[in-house]
Amino acid sequence: MAIERTLSILKPDATRRNLTGKINALFEEAGLRIVAQKRIKLSDAQAGAFYEVHKARPFYGSLVSSMTGAPVVVQVLEGEGAILKHRDVMGATDPKKAEPHTVRAQFAESIEANSVHGSDSAENAATEIAFFFAGTEILP
Ligand code: IDP
């Protein structure tokens, strides 16, 4: 399987509850390597642009404000089949539907405050990584 990179975000509900280490332990145990990482506070404009694809959805405004309420950790994960592997460890969007071993089943507060974001395709991974990181900030 090919080595891939994916964009991972530890959301405000996770940083607020001091869960970044516990969540990243699950990603690392699955064979994913953190090759870039920063803790930042998203502006409304940044969060709005990042979730632009959901602009027409009824939860868009609430999602954008939930992403700006506390710092996030943005990171690039690398590994074999990283995009799908990361999504598998994250679990379903709705924590009530997530498999028990997943991050969202164990840590998410709700379908909105669901602790983590992960790119869902190679094309989106490239766009989302470039949204937050310069090539020189990624150190495999
Ligand atoms: P994903 O994060 O599992 O890829 P998406 O459908 O891309 O899920 O939705 C992006 C984010 O929007 C979710 O992670 C969640 O925070 C929020 N979201 C999705 N569906 C709902 C909903 O029905 N109500 C509130 N927030 C939602």
Side-chain angles (χ1 to χ4, degrees):
M1 201 179 284
I3 301 289
E4 294 176 336
R5 287 179 180 169
T6 192
L7 193 273
S8 166
I9 304 179
L10 308 181
K11 294 183 175 183
D13 72 273
T15 64
R16 234 185 235 123
R17 289 177 291 149
N18 210 21
L19 291 171
T20 62
K22 282 187 175 147
I23 293 172
N24 274 336
L26 296 179
F27 293 145
E28 291 181 339
E29 279 158 18
L32 296 164
R33 180 174 290 268
I34 300 166
V35 295
Q37 188 180 53
K38 53 192 169 192
R39 182 178 176 92
I40 56 174
K41 188 118 183 319
L42 291 177
S43 66
D44 277 352
Q46 276 177 310
F50 186 78
Y51 279 121
E52 179 92 42
V53 63
H54 294 302
K55 202 162 188 169
R57 309 280 288 276
F59 56 81
Y60 176 73
S62 168
L63 174 62
V64 168
S65 52
S66 81
M67 289 297 289
T68 59
V72 295
V73 175
V74 292
Q75 52 194 17
V76 179
L77 304 182
E78 185 178 87
E80 282 193 15
I83 296 166
L84 197 57
K85 188 176 280 180
H86 182 221
R87 299 276 304 180
D88 282 347
V89 180
M90 285 167 51
T93 309
D94 181 351
K96 290 189 204 118
K97 297 182 182 153
E99 298 286 332
H101 67 279
T102 62
V103 170
R104 283 167 166 169
Q106 292 181 61
F107 300 116
E109 292 184 319
S110 66
I111 190 169
E112 181 174 275
N114 58 3
S115 305
V116 283
H117 166 86
S119 309
D120 62 3
S121 68
E123 191 187 350
N124 285 343
T127 308
E128 291 177 0
I129 289 169
F131 188 93
F132 289 110
F133 293 96
T136 51
E137 294 177 299
I138 302 171
L139 302 167

mmCIF file with all atom_site columns, all heavy atoms in Angstrom, residues 36-59:
data_model
loop_
_atom_site.group_PDB
_atom_site.id
_atom_site.type_symbol
_atom_site.label_atom_id
_atom_site.label_alt_id
_atom_site.label_comp_id
_atom_site.label_asym_id
_atom_site.label_entity_id
_atom_site.label_seq_id
_atom_site.pdbx_PDB_ins_code
_atom_site.Cartn_x
_atom_site.Cartn_y
_atom_site.Cartn_z
_atom_site.occupancy
_atom_site.B_iso_or_equiv
_atom_site.pdbx_formal_charge
_atom_site.auth_seq_id
_atom_site.auth_comp_id
_atom_site.auth_asym_id
_atom_site.auth_atom_id
_atom_site.pdbx_PDB_model_num
ATOM 1   N N   . ALA A 1 36 ? 4.085   16.729 11.062 1.00 0.00 ? 36 ALA A N   1
ATOM 2   C CA  . ALA A 1 36 ? 3.969   18.186 11.215 1.00 0.00 ? 36 ALA A CA  1
ATOM 3   C C   . ALA A 1 36 ? 2.876   18.424 12.242 1.00 0.00 ? 36 ALA A C   1
ATOM 4   O O   . ALA A 1 36 ? 1.914   17.644 12.318 1.00 0.00 ? 36 ALA A O   1
ATOM 5   C CB  . ALA A 1 36 ? 3.592   18.844 9.894  1.00 0.00 ? 36 ALA A CB  1
ATOM 6   N N   . GLN A 1 37 ? 3.032   19.491 13.037 1.00 0.00 ? 37 GLN A N   1
ATOM 7   C CA  . GLN A 1 37 ? 2.044   19.713 14.102 1.00 0.00 ? 37 GLN A CA  1
ATOM 8   C C   . GLN A 1 37 ? 2.122   21.149 14.601 1.00 0.00 ? 37 GLN A C   1
ATOM 9   O O   . GLN A 1 37 ? 3.209   21.683 14.792 1.00 0.00 ? 37 GLN A O   1
ATOM 10  C CB  . GLN A 1 37 ? 2.354   18.765 15.271 1.00 0.00 ? 37 GLN A CB  1
ATOM 11  C CG  . GLN A 1 37 ? 1.315   18.737 16.361 1.00 0.00 ? 37 GLN A CG  1
ATOM 12  C CD  . GLN A 1 37 ? 1.711   17.779 17.475 1.00 0.00 ? 37 GLN A CD  1
ATOM 13  O OE1 . GLN A 1 37 ? 2.810   17.884 18.015 1.00 0.00 ? 37 GLN A OE1 1
ATOM 14  N NE2 . GLN A 1 37 ? 0.837   16.852 17.806 1.00 0.00 ? 37 GLN A NE2 1
ATOM 15  N N   . LYS A 1 38 ? 0.976   21.783 14.801 1.00 0.00 ? 38 LYS A N   1
ATOM 16  C CA  . LYS A 1 38 ? 0.954   23.070 15.515 1.00 0.00 ? 38 LYS A CA  1
ATOM 17  C C   . LYS A 1 38 ? -0.377  23.279 16.226 1.00 0.00 ? 38 LYS A C   1
ATOM 18  O O   . LYS A 1 38 ? -1.413  22.777 15.788 1.00 0.00 ? 38 LYS A O   1
ATOM 19  C CB  . LYS A 1 38 ? 1.305   24.242 14.607 1.00 0.00 ? 38 LYS A CB  1
ATOM 20  C CG  . LYS A 1 38 ? 0.533   24.385 13.325 1.00 0.00 ? 38 LYS A CG  1
ATOM 21  C CD  . LYS A 1 38 ? 1.238   25.442 12.435 1.00 0.00 ? 38 LYS A CD  1
ATOM 22  C CE  . LYS A 1 38 ? 0.684   25.445 11.034 1.00 0.00 ? 38 LYS A CE  1
ATOM 23  N NZ  . LYS A 1 38 ? 1.511   26.234 10.106 1.00 0.00 ? 38 LYS A NZ  1
ATOM 24  N N   . ARG A 1 39 ? -0.281  24.047 17.316 1.00 0.00 ? 39 ARG A N   1
ATOM 25  C CA  . ARG A 1 39 ? -1.474  24.390 18.089 1.00 0.00 ? 39 ARG A CA  1
ATOM 26  C C   . ARG A 1 39 ? -1.821  25.821 17.718 1.00 0.00 ? 39 ARG A C   1
ATOM 27  O O   . ARG A 1 39 ? -0.984  26.721 17.855 1.00 0.00 ? 39 ARG A O   1
ATOM 28  C CB  . ARG A 1 39 ? -1.128  24.274 19.582 1.00 0.00 ? 39 ARG A CB  1
ATOM 29  C CG  . ARG A 1 39 ? -2.271  24.539 20.538 1.00 0.00 ? 39 ARG A CG  1
ATOM 30  C CD  . ARG A 1 39 ? -1.754  24.326 21.958 1.00 0.00 ? 39 ARG A CD  1
ATOM 31  N NE  . ARG A 1 39 ? -2.735  24.644 22.974 1.00 0.00 ? 39 ARG A NE  1
ATOM 32  C CZ  . ARG A 1 39 ? -3.570  23.750 23.501 1.00 0.00 ? 39 ARG A CZ  1
ATOM 33  N NH1 . ARG A 1 39 ? -3.538  22.490 23.119 1.00 0.00 ? 39 ARG A NH1 1
ATOM 34  N NH2 . ARG A 1 39 ? -4.427  24.114 24.437 1.00 0.00 ? 39 ARG A NH2 1
ATOM 35  N N   . ILE A 1 40 ? -3.035  26.035 17.227 1.00 0.00 ? 40 ILE A N   1
ATOM 36  C CA  . ILE A 1 40 ? -3.430  27.363 16.762 1.00 0.00 ? 40 ILE A CA  1
ATOM 37  C C   . ILE A 1 40 ? -4.872  27.649 17.181 1.00 0.00 ? 40 ILE A C   1
ATOM 38  O O   . ILE A 1 40 ? -5.621  26.734 17.515 1.00 0.00 ? 40 ILE A O   1
ATOM 39  C CB  . ILE A 1 40 ? -3.340  27.487 15.214 1.00 0.00 ? 40 ILE A CB  1
ATOM 40  C CG1 . ILE A 1 40 ? -4.182  26.406 14.525 1.00 0.00 ? 40 ILE A CG1 1
ATOM 41  C CG2 . ILE A 1 40 ? -1.905  27.418 14.727 1.00 0.00 ? 40 ILE A CG2 1
ATOM 42  C CD1 . ILE A 1 40 ? -4.247  26.557 13.018 1.00 0.00 ? 40 ILE A CD1 1
ATOM 43  N N   . LYS A 1 41 ? -5.221  28.942 17.178 1.00 0.00 ? 41 LYS A N   1
ATOM 44  C CA  . LYS A 1 41 ? -6.619  29.323 17.399 1.00 0.00 ? 41 LYS A CA  1
ATOM 45  C C   . LYS A 1 41 ? -7.161  29.764 16.051 1.00 0.00 ? 41 LYS A C   1
ATOM 46  O O   . LYS A 1 41 ? -6.661  30.710 15.457 1.00 0.00 ? 41 LYS A O   1
ATOM 47  C CB  . LYS A 1 41 ? -6.665  30.453 18.431 1.00 0.00 ? 41 LYS A CB  1
ATOM 48  C CG  . LYS A 1 41 ? -8.050  30.813 18.878 1.00 0.00 ? 41 LYS A CG  1
ATOM 49  C CD  . LYS A 1 41 ? -8.207  30.564 20.380 1.00 0.00 ? 41 LYS A CD  1
ATOM 50  C CE  . LYS A 1 41 ? -9.601  30.824 20.917 1.00 0.00 ? 41 LYS A CE  1
ATOM 51  N NZ  . LYS A 1 41 ? -10.283 31.984 20.420 1.00 0.00 ? 41 LYS A NZ  1
ATOM 52  N N   . LEU A 1 42 ? -8.145  29.049 15.540 1.00 0.00 ? 42 LEU A N   1
ATOM 53  C CA  . LEU A 1 42 ? -8.716  29.390 14.237 1.00 0.00 ? 42 LEU A CA  1
ATOM 54  C C   . LEU A 1 42 ? -9.533  30.675 14.337 1.00 0.00 ? 42 LEU A C   1
ATOM 55  O O   . LEU A 1 42 ? -10.283 30.872 15.307 1.00 0.00 ? 42 LEU A O   1
ATOM 56  C CB  . LEU A 1 42 ? -9.638  28.264 13.748 1.00 0.00 ? 42 LEU A CB  1
ATOM 57  C CG  . LEU A 1 42 ? -8.979  26.942 13.356 1.00 0.00 ? 42 LEU A CG  1
ATOM 58  C CD1 . LEU A 1 42 ? -10.058 25.921 12.978 1.00 0.00 ? 42 LEU A CD1 1
ATOM 59  C CD2 . LEU A 1 42 ? -8.014  27.137 12.205 1.00 0.00 ? 42 LEU A CD2 1
ATOM 60  N N   . SER A 1 43 ? -9.415  31.523 13.332 1.00 0.00 ? 43 SER A N   1
ATOM 61  C CA  . SER A 1 43 ? -10.305 32.690 13.237 1.00 0.00 ? 43 SER A CA  1
ATOM 62  C C   . SER A 1 43 ? -11.623 32.220 12.615 1.00 0.00 ? 43 SER A C   1
ATOM 63  O O   . SER A 1 43 ? -11.690 31.135 12.014 1.00 0.00 ? 43 SER A O   1
ATOM 64  C CB  . SER A 1 43 ? -9.663  33.757 12.348 1.00 0.00 ? 43 SER A CB  1
ATOM 65  O OG  . SER A 1 43 ? -9.568  33.262 11.023 1.00 0.00 ? 43 SER A OG  1
ATOM 66  N N   . ASP A 1 44 ? -12.654 33.069 12.719 1.00 0.00 ? 44 ASP A N   1
ATOM 67  C CA  . ASP A 1 44 ? -13.931 32.758 12.051 1.00 0.00 ? 44 ASP A CA  1
ATOM 68  C C   . ASP A 1 44 ? -13.713 32.561 10.563 1.00 0.00 ? 44 ASP A C   1
ATOM 69  O O   . ASP A 1 44 ? -14.294 31.649 9.956  1.00 0.00 ? 44 ASP A O   1
ATOM 70  C CB  . ASP A 1 44 ? -14.937 33.908 12.251 1.00 0.00 ? 44 ASP A CB  1
ATOM 71  C CG  . ASP A 1 44 ? -15.637 33.808 13.589 1.00 0.00 ? 44 ASP A CG  1
ATOM 72  O OD1 . ASP A 1 44 ? -15.461 32.784 14.277 1.00 0.00 ? 44 ASP A OD1 1
ATOM 73  O OD2 . ASP A 1 44 ? -16.344 34.765 13.943 1.00 0.00 ? 44 ASP A OD2 1
ATOM 74  N N   . ALA A 1 45 ? -12.878 33.421 9.976  1.00 0.00 ? 45 ALA A N   1
ATOM 75  C CA  . ALA A 1 45 ? -12.642 33.345 8.529  1.00 0.00 ? 45 ALA A CA  1
ATOM 76  C C   . ALA A 1 45 ? -11.961 32.032 8.162  1.00 0.00 ? 45 ALA A C   1
ATOM 77  O O   . ALA A 1 45 ? -12.327 31.387 7.175  1.00 0.00 ? 45 ALA A O   1
ATOM 78  C CB  . ALA A 1 45 ? -11.799 34.531 8.076  1.00 0.00 ? 45 ALA A CB  1
ATOM 79  N N   . GLN A 1 46 ? -10.976 31.631 8.964  1.00 0.00 ? 46 GLN A N   1
ATOM 80  C CA  . GLN A 1 46 ? -10.268 30.363 8.675  1.00 0.00 ? 46 GLN A CA  1
ATOM 81  C C   . GLN A 1 46 ? -11.212 29.162 8.799  1.00 0.00 ? 46 GLN A C   1
ATOM 82  O O   . GLN A 1 46 ? -11.228 28.284 7.936  1.00 0.00 ? 46 GLN A O   1
ATOM 83  C CB  . GLN A 1 46 ? -9.112  30.161 9.665  1.00 0.00 ? 46 GLN A CB  1
ATOM 84  C CG  . GLN A 1 46 ? -7.829  30.867 9.304  1.00 0.00 ? 46 GLN A CG  1
ATOM 85  C CD  . GLN A 1 46 ? -6.796  30.656 10.404 1.00 0.00 ? 46 GLN A CD  1
ATOM 86  O OE1 . GLN A 1 46 ? -7.079  30.870 11.586 1.00 0.00 ? 46 GLN A OE1 1
ATOM 87  N NE2 . GLN A 1 46 ? -5.621  30.247 10.016 1.00 0.00 ? 46 GLN A NE2 1
ATOM 88  N N   . ALA A 1 47 ? -11.965 29.122 9.920  1.00 0.00 ? 47 ALA A N   1
ATOM 89  C CA  . ALA A 1 47 ? -12.869 27.979 10.127 1.00 0.00 ? 47 ALA A CA  1
ATOM 90  C C   . ALA A 1 47 ? -13.957 27.964 9.052  1.00 0.00 ? 47 ALA A C   1
ATOM 91  O O   . ALA A 1 47 ? -14.321 26.903 8.533  1.00 0.00 ? 47 ALA A O   1
ATOM 92  C CB  . ALA A 1 47 ? -13.485 28.045 11.527 1.00 0.00 ? 47 ALA A CB  1
ATOM 93  N N   . GLY A 1 48 ? -14.460 29.145 8.701  1.00 0.00 ? 48 GLY A N   1
ATOM 94  C CA  . GLY A 1 48 ? -15.487 29.243 7.658  1.00 0.00 ? 48 GLY A CA  1
ATOM 95  C C   . GLY A 1 48 ? -14.966 28.755 6.318  1.00 0.00 ? 48 GLY A C   1
ATOM 96  O O   . GLY A 1 48 ? -15.655 28.029 5.592  1.00 0.00 ? 48 GLY A O   1
ATOM 97  N N   . ALA A 1 49 ? -13.731 29.123 5.992  1.00 0.00 ? 49 ALA A N   1
ATOM 98  C CA  . ALA A 1 49 ? -13.143 28.701 4.711  1.00 0.00 ? 49 ALA A CA  1
ATOM 99  C C   . ALA A 1 49 ? -12.851 27.199 4.732  1.00 0.00 ? 49 ALA A C   1
ATOM 100 O O   . ALA A 1 49 ? -13.081 26.499 3.747  1.00 0.00 ? 49 ALA A O   1
ATOM 101 C CB  . ALA A 1 49 ? -11.869 29.494 4.444  1.00 0.00 ? 49 ALA A CB  1
ATOM 102 N N   . PHE A 1 50 ? -12.358 26.714 5.858  1.00 0.00 ? 50 PHE A N   1
ATOM 103 C CA  . PHE A 1 50 ? -12.023 25.292 5.934  1.00 0.00 ? 50 PHE A CA  1
ATOM 104 C C   . PHE A 1 50 ? -13.260 24.421 5.723  1.00 0.00 ? 50 PHE A C   1
ATOM 105 O O   . PHE A 1 50 ? -13.209 23.387 5.055  1.00 0.00 ? 50 PHE A O   1
ATOM 106 C CB  . PHE A 1 50 ? -11.366 24.974 7.288  1.00 0.00 ? 50 PHE A CB  1
ATOM 107 C CG  . PHE A 1 50 ? -10.864 23.565 7.362  1.00 0.00 ? 50 PHE A CG  1
ATOM 108 C CD1 . PHE A 1 50 ? -9.667  23.204 6.748  1.00 0.00 ? 50 PHE A CD1 1
ATOM 109 C CD2 . PHE A 1 50 ? -11.589 22.581 8.012  1.00 0.00 ? 50 PHE A CD2 1
ATOM 110 C CE1 . PHE A 1 50 ? -9.220  21.898 6.774  1.00 0.00 ? 50 PHE A CE1 1
ATOM 111 C CE2 . PHE A 1 50 ? -11.148 21.272 8.041  1.00 0.00 ? 50 PHE A CE2 1
ATOM 112 C CZ  . PHE A 1 50 ? -9.959  20.925 7.428  1.00 0.00 ? 50 PHE A CZ  1
ATOM 113 N N   . TYR A 1 51 ? -14.399 24.862 6.308  1.00 0.00 ? 51 TYR A N   1
ATOM 114 C CA  . TYR A 1 51 ? -15.634 24.071 6.203  1.00 0.00 ? 51 TYR A CA  1
ATOM 115 C C   . TYR A 1 51 ? -16.598 24.624 5.134  1.00 0.00 ? 51 TYR A C   1
ATOM 116 O O   . TYR A 1 51 ? -17.788 24.316 5.176  1.00 0.00 ? 51 TYR A O   1
ATOM 117 C CB  . TYR A 1 51 ? -16.328 23.994 7.574  1.00 0.00 ? 51 TYR A CB  1
ATOM 118 C CG  . TYR A 1 51 ? -15.734 22.937 8.481  1.00 0.00 ? 51 TYR A CG  1
ATOM 119 C CD1 . TYR A 1 51 ? -15.205 23.266 9.725  1.00 0.00 ? 51 TYR A CD1 1
ATOM 120 C CD2 . TYR A 1 51 ? -15.714 21.593 8.111  1.00 0.00 ? 51 TYR A CD2 1
ATOM 121 C CE1 . TYR A 1 51 ? -14.667 22.290 10.561 1.00 0.00 ? 51 TYR A CE1 1
ATOM 122 C CE2 . TYR A 1 51 ? -15.178 20.615 8.937  1.00 0.00 ? 51 TYR A CE2 1
ATOM 123 C CZ  . TYR A 1 51 ? -14.665 20.967 10.164 1.00 0.00 ? 51 TYR A CZ  1
ATOM 124 O OH  . TYR A 1 51 ? -14.140 19.992 10.986 1.00 0.00 ? 51 TYR A OH  1
ATOM 125 N N   . GLU A 1 52 ? -16.054 25.391 4.186  1.00 0.00 ? 52 GLU A N   1
ATOM 126 C CA  . GLU A 1 52 ? -16.838 25.992 3.098  1.00 0.00 ? 52 GLU A CA  1
ATOM 127 C C   . GLU A 1 52 ? -17.786 24.984 2.418  1.00 0.00 ? 52 GLU A C   1
ATOM 128 O O   . GLU A 1 52 ? -18.928 25.299 2.088  1.00 0.00 ? 52 GLU A O   1
ATOM 129 C CB  . GLU A 1 52 ? -15.845 26.526 2.045  1.00 0.00 ? 52 GLU A CB  1
ATOM 130 C CG  . GLU A 1 52 ? -16.470 27.162 0.821  1.00 0.00 ? 52 GLU A CG  1
ATOM 131 C CD  . GLU A 1 52 ? -16.653 28.652 0.994  1.00 0.00 ? 52 GLU A CD  1
ATOM 132 O OE1 . GLU A 1 52 ? -15.721 29.288 1.520  1.00 0.00 ? 52 GLU A OE1 1
ATOM 133 O OE2 . GLU A 1 52 ? -17.721 29.149 0.610  1.00 0.00 ? 52 GLU A OE2 1
ATOM 134 N N   . VAL A 1 53 ? -17.303 23.747 2.268  1.00 0.00 ? 53 VAL A N   1
ATOM 135 C CA  . VAL A 1 53 ? -18.090 22.700 1.597  1.00 0.00 ? 53 VAL A CA  1
ATOM 136 C C   . VAL A 1 53 ? -19.432 22.441 2.313  1.00 0.00 ? 53 VAL A C   1
ATOM 137 O O   . VAL A 1 53 ? -20.393 21.986 1.696  1.00 0.00 ? 53 VAL A O   1
ATOM 138 C CB  . VAL A 1 53 ? -17.234 21.409 1.470  1.00 0.00 ? 53 VAL A CB  1
ATOM 139 C CG1 . VAL A 1 53 ? -16.875 20.842 2.820  1.00 0.00 ? 53 VAL A CG1 1
ATOM 140 C CG2 . VAL A 1 53 ? -17.893 20.365 0.612  1.00 0.00 ? 53 VAL A CG2 1
ATOM 141 N N   . HIS A 1 54 ? -19.491 22.775 3.615  1.00 0.00 ? 54 HIS A N   1
ATOM 142 C CA  . HIS A 1 54 ? -20.725 22.544 4.382  1.00 0.00 ? 54 HIS A CA  1
ATOM 143 C C   . HIS A 1 54 ? -21.582 23.813 4.515  1.00 0.00 ? 54 HIS A C   1
ATOM 144 O O   . HIS A 1 54 ? -22.515 23.848 5.310  1.00 0.00 ? 54 HIS A O   1
ATOM 145 C CB  . HIS A 1 54 ? -20.386 22.034 5.793  1.00 0.00 ? 54 HIS A CB  1
ATOM 146 C CG  . HIS A 1 54 ? -19.755 20.680 5.792  1.00 0.00 ? 54 HIS A CG  1
ATOM 147 N ND1 . HIS A 1 54 ? -20.348 19.568 5.254  1.00 0.00 ? 54 HIS A ND1 1
ATOM 148 C CD2 . HIS A 1 54 ? -18.547 20.262 6.257  1.00 0.00 ? 54 HIS A CD2 1
ATOM 149 C CE1 . HIS A 1 54 ? -19.560 18.514 5.387  1.00 0.00 ? 54 HIS A CE1 1
ATOM 150 N NE2 . HIS A 1 54 ? -18.445 18.920 5.983  1.00 0.00 ? 54 HIS A NE2 1
ATOM 151 N N   . LYS A 1 55 ? -21.256 24.847 3.739  1.00 0.00 ? 55 LYS A N   1
ATOM 152 C CA  . LYS A 1 55 ? -21.897 26.160 3.899  1.00 0.00 ? 55 LYS A CA  1
ATOM 153 C C   . LYS A 1 55 ? -23.426 26.109 3.855  1.00 0.00 ? 55 LYS A C   1
ATOM 154 O O   . LYS A 1 55 ? -24.101 26.843 4.587  1.00 0.00 ? 55 LYS A O   1
ATOM 155 C CB  . LYS A 1 55 ? -21.380 27.106 2.811  1.00 0.00 ? 55 LYS A CB  1
ATOM 156 C CG  . LYS A 1 55 ? -21.544 28.548 3.161  1.00 0.00 ? 55 LYS A CG  1
ATOM 157 C CD  . LYS A 1 55 ? -20.662 29.439 2.315  1.00 0.00 ? 55 LYS A CD  1
ATOM 158 C CE  . LYS A 1 55 ? -20.749 30.854 2.896  1.00 0.00 ? 55 LYS A CE  1
ATOM 159 N NZ  . LYS A 1 55 ? -19.757 31.730 2.343  1.00 0.00 ? 55 LYS A NZ  1
ATOM 160 N N   . ALA A 1 56 ? -23.973 25.228 3.031  1.00 0.00 ? 56 ALA A N   1
ATOM 161 C CA  . ALA A 1 56 ? -25.436 25.163 2.882  1.00 0.00 ? 56 ALA A CA  1
ATOM 162 C C   . ALA A 1 56 ? -26.106 24.339 3.989  1.00 0.00 ? 56 ALA A C   1
ATOM 163 O O   . ALA A 1 56 ? -27.331 24.322 4.101  1.00 0.00 ? 56 ALA A O   1
ATOM 164 C CB  . ALA A 1 56 ? -25.772 24.568 1.520  1.00 0.00 ? 56 ALA A CB  1
ATOM 165 N N   . ARG A 1 57 ? -25.312 23.638 4.807  1.00 0.00 ? 57 ARG A N   1
ATOM 166 C CA  . ARG A 1 57 ? -25.890 22.739 5.822  1.00 0.00 ? 57 ARG A CA  1
ATOM 167 C C   . ARG A 1 57 ? -26.388 23.568 7.010  1.00 0.00 ? 57 ARG A C   1
ATOM 168 O O   . ARG A 1 57 ? -25.792 24.588 7.358  1.00 0.00 ? 57 ARG A O   1
ATOM 169 C CB  . ARG A 1 57 ? -24.837 21.723 6.308  1.00 0.00 ? 57 ARG A CB  1
ATOM 170 C CG  . ARG A 1 57 ? -24.103 20.976 5.198  1.00 0.00 ? 57 ARG A CG  1
ATOM 171 C CD  . ARG A 1 57 ? -24.902 19.816 4.632  1.00 0.00 ? 57 ARG A CD  1
ATOM 172 N NE  . ARG A 1 57 ? -24.994 18.693 5.536  1.00 0.00 ? 57 ARG A NE  1
ATOM 173 C CZ  . ARG A 1 57 ? -24.060 17.742 5.663  1.00 0.00 ? 57 ARG A CZ  1
ATOM 174 N NH1 . ARG A 1 57 ? -22.939 17.820 4.960  1.00 0.00 ? 57 ARG A NH1 1
ATOM 175 N NH2 . ARG A 1 57 ? -24.242 16.725 6.485  1.00 0.00 ? 57 ARG A NH2 1
ATOM 176 N N   . PRO A 1 58 ? -27.459 23.113 7.672  1.00 0.00 ? 58 PRO A N   1
ATOM 177 C CA  . PRO A 1 58 ? -28.037 23.903 8.774  1.00 0.00 ? 58 PRO A CA  1
ATOM 178 C C   . PRO A 1 58 ? -27.082 24.085 9.960  1.00 0.00 ? 58 PRO A C   1
ATOM 179 O O   . PRO A 1 58 ? -27.198 25.059 10.706 1.00 0.00 ? 58 PRO A O   1
ATOM 180 C CB  . PRO A 1 58 ? -29.271 23.091 9.194  1.00 0.00 ? 58 PRO A CB  1
ATOM 181 C CG  . PRO A 1 58 ? -29.109 21.746 8.581  1.00 0.00 ? 58 PRO A CG  1
ATOM 182 C CD  . PRO A 1 58 ? -28.228 21.899 7.379  1.00 0.00 ? 58 PRO A CD  1
ATOM 183 N N   . PHE A 1 59 ? -26.102 23.173 10.100 1.00 0.00 ? 59 PHE A N   1
ATOM 184 C CA  . PHE A 1 59 ? -25.214 23.259 11.270 1.00 0.00 ? 59 PHE A CA  1
ATOM 185 C C   . PHE A 1 59 ? -23.947 24.074 10.994 1.00 0.00 ? 59 PHE A C   1
ATOM 186 O O   . PHE A 1 59 ? -23.082 24.175 11.849 1.00 0.00 ? 59 PHE A O   1
ATOM 187 C CB  . PHE A 1 59 ? -24.838 21.844 11.751 1.00 0.00 ? 59 PHE A CB  1
ATOM 188 C CG  . PHE A 1 59 ? -24.212 20.968 10.688 1.00 0.00 ? 59 PHE A CG  1
ATOM 189 C CD1 . PHE A 1 59 ? -22.861 21.084 10.379 1.00 0.00 ? 59 PHE A CD1 1
ATOM 190 C CD2 . PHE A 1 59 ? -24.964 20.024 10.009 1.00 0.00 ? 59 PHE A CD2 1
ATOM 191 C CE1 . PHE A 1 59 ? -22.278 20.279 9.406  1.00 0.00 ? 59 PHE A CE1 1
ATOM 192 C CE2 . PHE A 1 59 ? -24.393 19.210 9.028  1.00 0.00 ? 59 PHE A CE2 1
ATOM 193 C CZ  . PHE A 1 59 ? -23.041 19.346 8.736  1.00 0.00 ? 59 PHE A CZ  1
#
